[in-house]
Amino acid sequence: MNAILYPVAANAEAAFAQPKGRAAREREAKDIGGGSVRFVTEPTGPAFASRDAALDAYAGRLDDPRPGRGVTVAPEDHYCGLAERFEGAAPPPPAEPVFAKGRRWPKAAPLHGKPVFRLMISYWRTAGAEDELIAVEQARATRRRAEAAALDATQLRALARQPLRPVKPQQPLDAGLFEMPAPEAPHILIPDE
């Protein structure tokens, strides 16, 4: 089976139009990009009012299952996809549990706005100025400080993208009442009864 060869580029537009190269794995992407890379999926290009219009605009880049078209992209070229978004829709307010009529959560409010289709491209992003803004401190600690209100959008995005790290090392799991270590593999717990 062929692996997907993702573009290596500085941003989504460059990944779609003129990537530096293509790589399936991070190690290969680092060699092509000349430094550290990060795997991302981002929207690119204009918004289309219908799925058919988007498929027509990106003919040959996406699988087209419509009757009469029958276009199938090569397995290594499946790094693009279409996503339906709601243009101009405000994010729904945070939901609180209601515990009413046998339901814990309320029904989701319908999104108001015009549905549009955007091309989503997955690629290896080369390191840039935005990646250097990632804070050393955990996001949960940063947001509790008084200066958190002064963070700009770029810094908030960098905090949201940083990987989660444990607060303290995970403790070893305890063996339960009806569990015992396997004699031939003491690192595996098996049921006793």
Side-chain angles (χ1 to χ4, degrees):
M1 184 171 189
N2 296 344
I4 299 174
L5 297 174
Y6 296 100
V8 179
N11 56 40
E13 290 78 22
F16 187 73
Q18 292 179 320
K20 293 180 179 180
R22 291 175 55 188
R25 297 191 177 25
E26 183 179 9
R27 181 178 53 246
E28 300 163 5
K30 284 181 180 179
D31 291 343
I32 294 169
S36 65
V37 294
R38 189 164 42 99
F39 187 78
V40 296
T41 301
E42 295 178 344
T44 186
F48 294 93
S50 70
R51 183 175 179 81
D52 290 338
L55 287 172
D56 290 338
Y58 298 115
R61 293 284 195 137
L62 298 167
D63 288 339
D64 193 347
R66 297 179 290 178
R69 305 289 171 109
V71 176
T72 303
V73 178
E76 60 271 7
D77 294 334
H78 275 116
Y79 56 87
C80 292
L82 284 180
E84 184 178 18
R85 304 287 174 102
F86 287 91
E87 192 175 78
E96 293 189 22
V98 292
F99 302 107
K101 297 181 184 175
R103 294 183 54 90
R104 179 170 181 194
W105 296 99
K107 289 188 178 182
L111 291 175
H112 299 290
K114 183 175 79 169
V116 294
F117 289 86
R118 296 282 311 265
L119 181 73
M120 301 296 287
I121 184 167
S122 299
Y123 68 101
W124 296 105
R125 174 186 278 187
T126 55
E130 186 176 314
D131 295 331
E132 296 169 5
L133 294 173
I134 295 178
V136 181
E137 193 175 34
Q138 287 269 6
R140 65 178 137 229
T142 303
R143 72 168 189 243
R144 289 185 182 138
R145 288 188 290 142
E147 305 90 41
L151 294 175
D152 66 353
T154 307
Q155 292 169 325
L156 289 174
R157 271 195 301 277
L159 280 174
R161 287 188 185 126
Q162 86 182 38
L164 294 176
R165 295 188 306 261
V167 177
K168 61 180 182 177
Q170 182 177 352
Q171 299 300 313
L173 299 174
D174 293 331
L177 183 60
F178 299 106
E179 296 173 330
M180 61 178 275
E184 64 278 356
H187 63 283
I188 299 175
L189 295 176
I190 58 173
D192 192 20
E193 288 190 16

